[in-house]
Amino acid sequence: MTPSSAGTPAGGGEQRPAREEQGPAPGRFAWLFAAVWLVYLISPLRRAWTAAATPLPLRVLAVAALVGFAAGFCWFFAWFRRRRLVGAPPAPTAVWRVLGAGLLLLVLAASGAGEESLAGLVYIGVAAVMTLPLRQSAVVVAGVVALITVLPRVVPGWTPQDGVVPGLLLGCLAAFGVGQVITRNAELLRAREQLVDLAVTRERARLARDVHDILGHSLTVITVKTELAGRLLEAAPGSPALDRVRAEVADVERLAREALADVRATASGMRSVSLTGELAAARRALDAAGIAADLPSAVDVVPARHRELFAWTLREGVTNVVRHSGARRCTVRLTADCVEVRDDGRGHDSTGDDGSGLAGLRSRAQAAGARVETGRSPEGGFLLRVVAEPAAVGSSA
């Protein structure tokens, strides 16, 4: 039951390394929780190893299949929990492939364990309930119940295993509860990270404002007074001492101007946009405009190097929707290398595509090695998409 492709965890916060760079992945000991429940595979393992009437190669194959199934179940549970905690749960297609691999292992185990191998179907049902959408998991559970009920009655030499069905249903119910707990914990974790990011962003903006207001004002006054002193000295009679004073005053003026420029640059850099903050601002703006918002709940999936560019994209896209679109609904989608803002409003011509906002966004995207795409959305409105190239290593300034 080992997944064919686990993917990589999403990136971390904007001011800290991505989650996978902070240390061991979350949920790294989750397999221990899954291993506790493997006790129900002891019976088929014993049957496979002690079935004297079964040829030795088939018994070895059955034992190997059951051991592989047990290891795969532990791996799958830990993989699923890790993906859920980082906000990137596995796609249903990947889960179906894993369930198919587990079912194949049970078929191999049946060659030596007989009807006892049906106990493994409980794990198939539990895995489906925890990882698939409700309707799909219900189909899997119904199919597993049918297999447990029908197979022993049609396979020669097998005895009915109806006692497994109550355990299967009870296990699936417990797994559904555990899955809901994992989901809620992941949502709480992402919400806490968002609050931390917002608090950091607000503090940076406050500090930048204070630095600019305090030092900027003082340096401006110094610059003005130095200019005045220079003009007064120019009007005075020339002498070697005055020439030295003029040089020193000119040097002070130059240093004051450079310091003022540095303060302004520092304050501007500290007020850089935050993707988490822009998501919160977008929700407020759309709500105030009476536009339904379909926004992602977290930004973990976006690598840190793309977040500033995606934040500018979100700001520009949502501003256009609020000001020009006349839309009733705005949808934002985030992936590791793409951000998309679309609406169901008046369409391409209503958004001011030739305005300075999108022109500035194109410049930022070009500097970051990304591209801007615009067009008609599936809902009939305007679509703004920025796609970051894999080779892009920085974000726009």
Side-chain angles (χ1 to χ4, degrees):
M1 293 179 62
T2 303
S4 58
S5 105
T8 55
E14 299 196 5
Q15 301 304 319
R16 53 185 183 273
R19 187 188 305 275
E20 64 268 26
E21 298 173 356
Q22 291 179 336
R28 59 192 180 278
F29 297 121
W31 65 272
L32 289 174
F33 178 80
V36 172
W37 302 101
L38 295 177
V39 62
Y40 297 106
L41 291 179
I42 293 178
S43 179
L45 273 172
R46 184 186 299 114
R47 169 74 177 274
W49 188 248
T50 60
T54 305
L56 181 61
L58 291 181
R59 289 158 50 192
V60 172
L61 175 63
V63 170
L66 287 169
V67 171
F69 182 87
F73 180 75
C74 294
W75 181 286
F76 176 73
F77 187 87
W79 170 67
F80 161 73
R81 186 172 183 271
R82 181 169 62 251
R83 294 292 300 272
R84 179 68 66 87
L85 285 176
V86 300
T93 53
V95 175
W96 278 106
R97 288 196 295 268
V98 172
L99 296 181
L103 189 60
L104 177 60
L105 288 173
L106 290 179
V107 171
L108 296 177
S111 63
E115 67 273 19
E116 295 286 348
S117 62
L118 294 176
L121 292 176
V122 175
Y123 301 94
I124 297 288
V126 167
V129 168
M130 291 191 65
T131 57
L132 288 175
L134 185 58
R135 291 184 179 180
Q136 296 183 32
S137 63
V139 171
V140 173
V141 172
V144 167
V145 170
L147 289 175
I148 294 174
T149 305
V150 174
L151 283 180
R153 291 174 168 82
V154 298
V155 177
W158 283 22
T159 58
Q161 299 290 309
D162 295 341
V164 177
V165 175
L168 166 67
L169 298 178
L170 189 60
C172 290
L173 182 63
F176 178 78
V178 172
Q180 293 300 306
V181 170
I182 293 176
T183 299
R184 298 298 177 265
N185 286 344
E187 291 174 351
L188 287 174
L189 178 63
R190 292 195 295 272
R192 184 176 64 183
E193 291 177 346
Q194 282 187 291
L195 290 175
V196 171
D197 287 343
L198 286 173
V200 170
T201 300
R202 291 194 182 102
E203 181 61 19
R204 291 176 64 196
R206 184 197 65 78
L207 182 59
R209 184 173 58 251
D210 291 347
V211 167
H212 184 272
D213 291 346
I214 297 172
L215 291 181
H217 174 73
S218 300
L219 290 172
T220 299
V221 173
I222 292 172
T223 302
V224 171
K225 288 184 174 294
T226 306
E227 290 176 349
L228 176 59
R231 288 196 295 271
L232 293 175
L233 286 173
E234 290 295 335
S239 71
L242 286 178
D243 291 340
R244 176 66 183 274
V245 171
R246 290 190 188 98
E248 294 297 334
V249 168
D251 196 39
V252 171
E253 180 181 351
R254 177 183 60 80
L255 292 174
R257 289 185 182 278
E258 291 177 356
L260 182 59
D262 290 341
V263 167
R264 287 173 175 168
T266 301
S268 177
M270 293 176 69
R271 290 196 295 262
S272 60
V273 297
S274 156
L275 184 54
T276 302
E278 290 303 319
L279 268 179
R283 191 178 299 278
R284 291 193 298 268
L286 292 170
D287 183 64
I291 300 174
D294 181 6
L295 306 178
S297 60
V299 301
D300 295 37
V301 70
V302 182
R305 64 182 180 274
H306 296 328
R307 292 192 180 186
E308 185 176 346
L309 174 61
F310 285 11
W312 285 111
T313 304
L314 183 60
R315 174 182 291 187
E316 176 63 22
V318 171
T319 299
N320 280 338
V321 171
V322 172
R323 290 183 178 177
H324 308 295
S325 70
R328 291 175 298 178
R329 186 175 188 84
C330 175
T331 301
V332 175
R333 291 289 180 262
L334 287 173
T335 65
D337 57 2
C338 178
V339 57
E340 183 178 280
V341 181
R342 64 178 191 260
D343 61 74
D344 60 355
R346 290 188 288 268
H348 188 278
D349 295 335
S350 67
T351 61
D353 185 30
D354 296 326
S356 60
L358 281 178
L361 181 61
R362 292 183 191 278
S363 298
R364 291 179 184 274
Q366 184 177 7
R371 68 179 186 274
V372 177
E373 301 174 358
T374 58
R376 184 169 294 277
S377 70
E379 297 84 0
F382 183 67
L383 168 66
L384 171 63
R385 182 188 295 120
V386 170
V387 181
E389 299 296 340
V393 295
S395 59
S396 59

